């Protein structure tokens, strides 16, 4: 049976606020994980300690606004005492390298506590604010028991101030917060902008979390995986027929897709790829406009969440961003996107149907 072809460029998902918020849950990769399914490395005691601390933290989440309005850590920062004893903070922060299970643990925390609750990446929350407006985002999330922020990273001053304000509002409403990152809270933003000019916001963020360091092998030092060789465009149809027999697949000209991303809000990318079983991009090329490149990063994250295999012709994914981008302030985002697109391309080239 031949693949059922669609085009992403024909999709313009329109979602209500409730539909957007409903997407703030762990991806299929972490849809059924728990603290019991996490396997701590016996050689890394910090991993087992992190599980115990997160279980304790989960027990402190008892219902919407469980921290008590007015008693959040931001109110203490700006209006009262400057700190709190260990264990009394509203936030918990998982720091460690790639591949130590931080997202697994964050998703396990989400599964362990009562709702309503939210789980999303840092960029998904900033995009949510862009889609709903700041007041409506605060109003919606203030009713939640827990807000989980995966891949916490501050890339520009605007995001620093935005997340500082959002966390202050949520904390003051008694919402518990949990985050993961590869950067300690006090180092967020380093090398990306004039951090000293925003030290107040950065320090506010740093003082909010009980930090749990999770040790283990750090895959950041392995560099990028080698991307599979690109397919000649004249051979792509035969490859797609074999790889996606009977599946629902989106096939797009890469240049048209990249332009289409500029007219679809990133908060809707999850729904842009809904119900698909594969992705085909023809004539992939290097993206040299940073605004479009960052939108491609978001799409790569959503594709990786869904584990959608990619078959592509043209430039290999290790050259999809310019050398200047790969060496610039957003390099962590671009390296992650290349790694994830490469993994999906390898899946697309596998023999499994």
């Amino acid at each position: 049976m031949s693949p059922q072809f669609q085009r992403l460029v024909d999709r313009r998902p329109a979602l209500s606020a409730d539909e957007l918020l409903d997407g703030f849950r762990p991806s299929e990769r972490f849809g059924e994980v728990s603290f019991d399914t996490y396997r701590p490395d016996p050689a890394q005691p910090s991993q087992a300690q992190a599980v115990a601390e997160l279980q304790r933290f989960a027990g402190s989440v008892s219902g919407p606004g469980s921290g008590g309005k007015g008693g959040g850590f931001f109110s203490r920062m700006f209006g009262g005492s400057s700190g709190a004893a260990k264990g009394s903070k509203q936030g918990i922060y998982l720091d460690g390298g790639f591949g130590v299970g931080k997202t697994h643990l964050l998703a396990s925390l989400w599964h362990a506590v009562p709702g309503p609750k939210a789980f999303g990446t840092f960029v998904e929350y900033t995009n949510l604010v862009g889609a709903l407006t700041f007041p409506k985002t605060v109003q919606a999330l203030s009713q939640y028991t827990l807000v989980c922020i995966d891949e916490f990273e501050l890339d520009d001053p605007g995001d620093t101030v935005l997340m500082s304000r959002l966390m202050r509002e949520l904390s003051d409403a008694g919402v518990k917060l949990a985050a993961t990152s590869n950067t300690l809270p006090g180092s967020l933003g380093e090398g990306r902008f004039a951090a000293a000019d925003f030290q107040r916001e950065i320090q506010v963020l740093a003082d909010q979390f009980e930090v749990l360091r999770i040790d283990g092998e750090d895959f950041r030092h392995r560099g990028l995986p080698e991307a599979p060789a690109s397919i000649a465009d004249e051979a792509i149809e035969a490859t797609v027929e074999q790889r996606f027999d009977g599946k629902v697949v989106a096939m797009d000209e890469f240049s048209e897709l990249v332009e289409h991303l500029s007219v679809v809000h990133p908060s809707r990318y999850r729904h842009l790829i809904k119900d698909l079983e594969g992705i085909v991009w023809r004539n992939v090329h290097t993206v040299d406009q940073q605004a479009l490149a960052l939108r491609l990063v978001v799409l790569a994250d959503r594709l990786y969440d869904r584990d959608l295999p990619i078959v592509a012709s043209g430039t290999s994914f290790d050259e999809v961003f310019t050398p200047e981008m790969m060496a610039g302030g957003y390099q962590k985002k671009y390296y992650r996107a290349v790694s994830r697109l490469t993994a999906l391309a390898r899946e697309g080239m596998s023999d499994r149907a």
Side-chain angles (χ1 to χ4, degrees):
M1 183 184 300
S2 296
Q4 302 174 47
F5 289 110
Q6 299 184 12
R7 298 201 310 164
L8 291 179
V9 296
D10 293 332
R11 294 184 167 199
R12 292 177 178 265
L15 304 171
S16 67
D18 287 342
E19 287 173 321
L20 282 175
L21 289 165
D22 187 58
F24 276 75
R25 59 181 62 247
S27 69
E28 289 88 338
R29 289 177 179 269
F30 301 100
E32 298 182 358
V33 299
S34 68
F35 293 127
D36 289 337
T37 62
Y38 181 77
R39 296 289 181 262
D41 183 348
Q44 303 291 345
S46 62
Q47 295 184 10
Q49 180 182 356
V51 173
E53 288 295 322
L54 284 167
Q55 289 175 318
R56 175 195 60 77
F57 187 80
S60 72
V61 182
S62 57
S66 58
K69 185 173 179 61
F73 45 71
F74 275 93
S75 64
R76 292 194 295 272
M77 284 294 296
F78 289 106
S81 61
S82 59
K86 179 178 174 66
S88 65
K89 293 186 178 183
Q90 290 276 99
I92 196 161
Y93 186 103
L94 308 181
D95 173 72
F98 296 123
V100 297
K102 300 187 303 297
T103 300
H104 184 135
L105 289 172
L106 188 68
S108 298
L109 173 65
W110 186 90
H111 287 298
V113 304
K117 52 196 174 182
F119 183 106
T121 63
F122 177 86
V123 71
E124 285 184 293
Y125 285 105
T126 58
N127 288 335
L128 181 67
V129 172
L132 298 185
T133 74
F134 185 84
K136 289 183 179 179
T137 300
V138 172
Q139 182 181 18
L141 296 181
S142 291
Q143 307 305 312
Y144 283 34
T145 62
L146 173 71
V147 168
C148 295
I149 308 166
D150 199 19
E151 299 173 359
F152 201 111
E153 184 61 48
L154 301 180
D155 293 309
D156 58 54
D159 283 349
T160 305
V161 175
L162 173 66
M163 291 305 290
S164 177
R165 287 185 59 205
L166 180 61
M167 288 179 153
R168 180 180 62 201
E169 296 284 350
L170 296 181
S171 177
D172 285 347
V175 180
K176 295 284 189 176
L177 304 171
T180 73
S181 183
N182 306 304
T183 307
L184 284 170
S187 300
L188 290 169
E190 283 186 359
R192 287 165 175 75
F193 57 89
D197 295 339
F198 294 87
Q199 193 60 47
R200 183 168 184 262
E201 283 80 7
I202 293 172
Q203 192 59 49
V204 165
L205 293 173
D207 289 349
Q208 309 326 313
F209 295 97
E210 176 184 342
V211 178
L212 296 181
R213 173 69 189 179
I214 305 177
D215 297 310
E217 185 177 4
D218 187 344
F219 289 92
R220 285 174 295 188
H221 301 304
R222 290 190 174 184
L224 289 174
E226 183 179 353
S230 61
I231 302 171
D233 192 59
E234 57 269 19
I236 198 168
E237 291 187 8
T239 302
V240 170
E241 288 282 344
Q242 179 182 7
R243 178 61 180 84
F244 296 121
D245 185 38
K247 296 184 181 298
V248 180
V249 177
M251 177 183 284
D252 291 89
E253 189 71 24
F254 186 72
S255 59
E256 294 178 359
L257 171 65
V258 172
E259 289 298 325
H260 185 61
L261 294 180
S262 67
V263 298
V264 178
H265 195 277
S267 64
R268 293 171 169 80
Y269 289 1
R270 187 186 300 272
H271 292 265
L272 182 69
I273 61 175
K274 186 177 180 180
D275 299 326
L276 294 175
E277 299 173 277
I279 297 291
V280 182
W281 290 341
R282 307 188 75 148
N283 299 310
V284 173
H285 60 79
T286 301
V287 178
D288 57 8
Q289 297 180 48
Q290 185 134 270
L292 295 179
L294 289 172
R295 284 176 176 258
L296 182 59
V297 167
V298 178
L299 179 61
D301 287 340
R302 301 293 77 78
L303 293 171
Y304 189 75
D305 287 344
R306 288 281 316 281
D307 198 18
L308 288 179
I310 299 175
V311 172
S313 67
T315 300
S316 61
F317 287 128
D318 54 1
E319 297 180 351
V320 74
F321 304 113
T322 68
E324 292 77 15
M325 291 176 183
M326 297 298 289
Y330 296 104
Q331 62 177 264
K332 184 180 290 185
K333 290 180 180 290
Y334 292 131
Y335 269 74
R336 184 180 75 237
V338 170
S339 177
R340 291 180 169 184
L341 290 172
T342 296
L344 296 177
R346 289 188 177 282
E347 175 66 17
M349 293 299 292
S350 72
D351 293 331
R352 289 174 292 174

